[in-house]
Amino acid sequence: MKIKNFFAAAMLFVSGSAMAQSTYTDAEGNEYEFNKHAFITVQGGMQYTLGEASFSDLLSPNFQLGVGYQFSPALAARLQVNGLNAKGGWNGLGNPPLNETYKFNYFAPGIDVMLNLSNLICGWNPNRVFNVTAFLGGGLNIASGNDDANAIGAQLGARKGAYNLEYLWDGTKMNPFGRGGVELAFRLSDNVKLLVEGNANLLSDKWNSKKAGNADWYFNGLVGLRFNLGKSYTKTEKAIETTPIVPATTPVVPTTQPTQPTKPAVTEPVKPVVEKVEPLRRDIFFVINKYEIRPSEESKVADIAKYLNDNPKAKVALCGYADRGTGNDEINDRLGRQRVEVVKDMLIKKYNISADRISTDSKGAREQPFAINEQNRVTIAIAE
């Protein structure tokens, strides 16, 4: 595969990636909202350069440093520099045959686009212990110190079969490269992860001094740490609903009055007692960009249903809202309608409330009933 085709694949990798959700609610009802943040990575390991010698003879130490930015739960980018030593080998070259290995130095700065597959497929969860991330990228490989290969080339100069020494080089050699790989991340804390990474790097045939008629490859296996800079999420604790305390009434102690002459009782017509029913209001809150009713909010819908069943002539008015701090009018108007409809559907399907006793309206983000932005992700239900 040519280098330009590799970078074309990288562009498809980026343009085809969808964004994962940016909110999460845990089992206790606590809400988490993703924060964009920077990070740094420090890694070390081994490199294997594809060649003719045995596997162990082509291994060399390797390191990688990176700095990146997490744009969303799924998408990140990092600038990284990878390098130290690389190795090559000739096997059975010349007459008599010569088997030799050699090493040279390099460092390779580049950029990677990273896609968190766990968050993309399973949804973002800041408490997840294990995440899998795929990445594509590229950069410039800057090699030097090729003295070993040049010395071997001088020995082979007069031998037959020296035709494949055409790509020997001296000084500094620069080659563009493409790369792809997979990163496994294990959560140690909110801001620290243990990384295990494998990547494959593709260069032109002129990198390792051997003319082979195909691309040169090297592979890295790395272990290290990622440190998040700043808070990667904002956590909102579940609100604890409290029952208002009604003060106890002081009993009235009757006092003894002097006896008065008894007067004939006057009979008056009995007037019917009209019991006044007070309206009931419940505020059903939602998570950002969502319209599912959370378990912690279902009891409020049940309160409305009970009120309507206890008062057969009562009706309920539902009005949906979205917060003005996120989204646009089109998105917020849709969310407001959806948040109303989901409450209406629960009243009808779960509690058998007649649809003609329910009226609906939506204000989107055009009106904000609460001063706190997050509380405006709500459906307000008033039954009377």
Side-chain angles (χ1 to χ4, degrees):
M1 183 174 65
K2 296 181 180 180
I3 296 282
K4 64 180 181 180
N5 293 334
F6 185 93
F7 284 108
M11 294 302 296
L12 289 174
F13 177 86
V14 177
S15 61
S17 64
M19 295 300 97
Q21 67 186 48
S22 59
T23 59
Y24 172 75
T25 303
D26 64 19
E28 288 73 36
N30 301 312
E31 297 180 11
Y32 300 76
E33 187 167 354
F34 169 81
N35 292 336
K36 299 177 182 179
H37 57 278
F39 61 87
I40 58 175
T41 58
V42 180
Q43 298 165 277
M46 299 296 291
Q47 181 200 92
Y48 170 70
T49 306
L50 193 63
E52 297 175 1
S54 65
F55 179 83
S56 59
D57 288 340
L58 295 178
L59 290 175
S60 53
N62 190 254
F63 77 93
Q64 183 165 286
L65 300 175
V67 58
Y69 195 79
Q70 194 77 39
F71 296 97
S72 76
L75 184 64
R78 72 176 177 186
L79 297 171
Q80 48 75 23
V81 58
N82 174 276
L84 195 57
N85 300 130
K87 290 186 176 180
W90 282 295
N91 187 6
L93 182 63
N95 187 17
L98 180 67
N99 300 322
E100 291 285 349
T101 59
Y102 56 92
K103 69 177 182 179
F104 55 98
N105 306 321
Y106 83 94
F107 72 98
I111 184 170
D112 295 324
V113 178
M114 312 180 74
L115 186 65
N116 188 311
L117 302 179
S118 300
N119 286 338
L120 184 64
I121 297 170
C122 303
W124 175 64
N125 179 350
N127 301 319
R128 183 181 290 121
V129 175
F130 175 66
N131 283 273
V132 179
T133 296
F135 58 87
L136 286 173
L140 186 64
N141 185 292
I142 304 170
S144 62
N146 202 33
D147 297 341
D148 289 353
N150 287 314
I152 297 171
Q155 296 179 41
L156 294 170
R159 299 187 182 196
K160 295 180 180 180
Y163 59 90
N164 58 351
L165 301 183
E166 295 179 24
Y167 289 161
L168 282 171
W169 52 269
D170 199 1
T172 300
K173 182 76 171 178
M174 297 187 183
N175 286 284
F177 72 91
R179 70 184 312 204
V182 175
E183 174 192 274
L184 309 179
F186 300 85
R187 181 179 181 272
L188 302 180
S189 70
D190 282 349
N191 290 320
V192 182
K193 293 181 180 178
L194 173 66
L195 304 181
V196 179
E197 178 179 326
N199 61 61
N201 299 262
L202 171 68
L203 305 97
S204 75
D205 191 26
K206 298 182 178 181
W207 181 64
N208 66 357
S209 300
K210 296 174 58 178
K211 182 177 180 180
N214 51 40
D216 290 337
W217 289 86
Y218 63 86
F219 306 88
N220 295 321
L222 302 162
V223 177
L225 296 173
R226 165 172 164 161
F227 302 93
N228 291 337
L229 305 179
K231 295 181 65 175
S232 59
Y233 63 83
T234 299
K235 179 180 179 181
T236 303
E237 300 283 349
K238 177 185 176 182
I240 300 176
E241 297 183 0
T242 58
T243 303
I245 299 174
V246 179
T249 56
T250 304
V252 178
V253 180
T255 57
T256 304
Q257 301 291 336
T259 303
Q260 300 290 334
T262 302
K263 295 182 180 180
V266 178
T267 303
E268 294 184 0
V270 178
K271 296 181 180 180
V273 177
V274 179
E275 183 178 351
K276 183 179 180 181
V277 180
E278 295 293 331
L280 176 70
R281 168 173 168 164
R282 289 292 182 267
D283 301 332
I284 300 111
F285 295 103
F286 296 83
V287 177
I288 183 174
N289 202 31
K290 298 291 182 181
Y291 56 90
E292 294 84 2
I293 299 176
R294 293 173 291 163
S296 60
E297 301 295 298
E298 288 187 10
S299 62
K300 299 177 181 179
V301 183
D303 290 345
I304 295 294
K306 183 179 185 305
Y307 181 96
L308 294 174
N309 286 326
D310 292 345
N311 302 279
K313 294 184 179 181
K315 296 184 178 182
V316 62
L318 307 176
C319 190
Y321 298 86
D323 69 283
R324 189 173 293 162
T326 55
N328 53 43
D329 283 343
E330 181 180 355
I331 294 173
N332 290 331
D333 288 343
R334 182 177 68 250
L335 276 173
R337 292 192 300 271
Q338 291 169 327
R339 288 167 176 168
V340 164
E341 291 301 320
V342 74
V343 176
K344 178 181 178 181
D345 287 348
M346 179 173 283
L347 287 170
I348 294 173
K349 295 176 182 178
K350 185 172 182 178
Y351 297 105
N352 299 317
I353 303 300
S354 175
D356 60 10
R357 300 178 68 190
I358 306 171
S359 63
T360 61
D361 192 10
S362 173
K363 304 297 184 182
R366 303 174 193 278
E367 294 184 14
Q368 301 287 271
F370 297 101
I372 299 175
N373 185 60
E374 290 75 9
Q375 293 181 343
N376 292 306
R377 306 162 188 159
V378 65
T379 291
I380 296 177
I382 300 176
E384 57 184 340

